[in-house]
Amino acid sequence: MISCTTPSIRPEMLPIVANCLANQDFKDFEWLIGAPERLREPIKGVLKGFSYVFVPEPQKREGDFYNLNKCWNELFRQAKGDLIVDIVDGIWVPNDTLTSFWSHYENNPNACISGIGHQYEDNGIRKPEVLVWRDPRLQTQYGSFWEINPIDLELCLTSLPRQGVLDVKGIKEIFDKGAAISEKEMCVRMDKSGYRFFIDSSIEYRAIQHPRIGGTEKWDKHYKIACDLLDQMWPKINNGEDLEGNL
């Protein structure tokens, strides 16, 4: 079984994901949505008729910029599938997406697979068509499938063996003091534990472009905080130390 995990604070950006999941040709999956308790009813309203499990995210701690990493860990904790597919809000995916991820898992249970996704203008729940930004990870010299440095993985649309996430005890929640970077640090620890990372550019997602949380200036400030945290952790991780998160 696949556990699809979606952390979200934007209920309006969930219906496009719900519609895509409802049309998947792979049916053995659950959908877990992690969000603040205050959004339980708004999410219920926009997802009427769709099947999902609401997972309340833990309380925000003093000094945190956001709550994403605590939310991810809670989703990972409650996931029941052998494979986790993280799919963020506001993205469109083809009907064979889960089938493709499951095929990779059956072929290599230690593989973490990321799709490729560009950003588009909002088109409701329909497939976005107006391109506004291209994923810089897209390459052509290796065909459609190639191994990557774990730091190049993005959790926008990515499969992770659940056992791998458990082996490293998920994400370090201290990264909630910053912005981004946290999943990359987790992947570096998973790499040290024997997992490998790949991009399959035939697995496409189309993301609706949206503003940064708190605005660009505030985001950039907290992005630097997260980068500094990773720099501090890097020597120990390279030495095979400090390999556990907070799951």
Side-chain angles (χ1 to χ4, degrees):
M1 184 176 78
I2 291 176
S3 293
C4 297
T5 55
T6 303
S8 180
I9 56 170
R10 296 178 283 257
E12 72 280 4
M13 297 184 76
L14 289 171
I16 186 173
V17 181
N19 190 59
C20 291
L21 289 177
N23 290 317
Q24 291 297 300
D25 50 29
F26 185 99
K27 301 299 184 182
D28 188 17
F29 71 91
E30 61 177 353
W31 187 23
L32 308 177
I33 299 174
E37 181 63 40
R38 60 182 171 81
L39 295 180
R40 182 188 291 267
E41 289 304 312
I43 289 173
K44 182 178 179 180
V46 299
L47 295 184
K48 187 176 181 180
F50 291 104
S51 178
Y52 67 94
V53 176
F54 181 85
V55 177
E57 68 177 30
Q59 290 295 314
K60 198 173 182 180
R61 297 169 189 158
E62 185 177 354
D64 285 349
F65 172 60
Y66 59 13
N67 226 19
L68 176 60
N69 299 298
K70 288 186 285 296
C71 186
W72 259 326
N73 275 345
E74 191 61 31
L75 289 166
F76 297 155
R77 189 175 289 116
Q78 297 198 30
K80 299 175 182 176
D82 296 311
L83 184 66
I84 292 170
V85 172
D86 198 70
I87 176 169
V88 299
D89 56 18
I91 68 171
W92 172 95
V93 299
N95 296 349
D96 63 351
T97 297
L98 295 186
T99 294
S100 297
F101 279 129
W102 188 254
S103 295
H104 279 300
Y105 177 70
E106 288 187 314
N107 184 57
N108 182 358
N110 288 334
C112 305
I113 312 293
S114 179
I116 285 285
H118 311 305
Q119 294 181 10
Y120 294 77
E121 290 184 3
D122 195 348
N123 196 25
I125 65 170
R126 299 183 303 277
K127 181 179 180 179
E129 299 290 352
V130 181
L131 179 69
V132 295
W133 179 87
R134 296 187 65 84
D135 190 332
R137 298 176 302 158
L138 181 60
Q139 303 180 34
T140 57
Q141 64 265 41
Y142 305 122
S144 64
F145 186 76
W146 63 93
E147 188 166 6
I148 59 172
N149 187 307
I151 208 163
D152 290 329
L153 189 120
E154 302 279 355
L155 283 191
C156 293
L157 180 67
T158 289
S159 67
L160 301 168
R162 180 170 175 267
Q163 188 57 54
V165 174
L166 295 177
D167 284 349
V168 300
K169 300 190 183 303
I171 291 180
K172 291 183 179 178
E173 295 171 3
I174 191 173
F175 279 97
D176 277 338
K177 295 184 179 300
I181 301 298
S182 56
E183 72 273 24
K184 299 177 182 298
E185 189 274 342
M186 180 183 73
C187 290
V188 172
R189 288 185 283 114
M190 288 179 67
D191 178 73
K192 290 290 185 181
S193 298
Y195 293 86
R196 292 296 175 262
F197 298 82
F198 304 87
I199 281 178
D200 183 346
S201 63
S202 72
I203 301 177
E204 174 195 18
Y205 65 90
R206 297 191 174 199
I208 297 171
Q209 190 177 55
H210 57 273
R212 298 286 196 187
I213 295 172
T216 301
E217 184 177 347
K218 189 172 184 180
W219 177 273
D220 289 347
K221 173 185 174 182
H222 286 84
Y223 179 75
K224 185 179 184 306
I225 290 173
C227 289
D228 290 344
L229 282 171
L230 180 59
D231 287 343
Q232 294 166 21
M233 297 172 183
W234 201 265
K236 283 189 175 182
I237 295 173
N238 277 336
N239 289 332
E241 306 169 22
D242 196 21
L243 297 181
E244 294 187 351
N246 299 114
L247 189 60

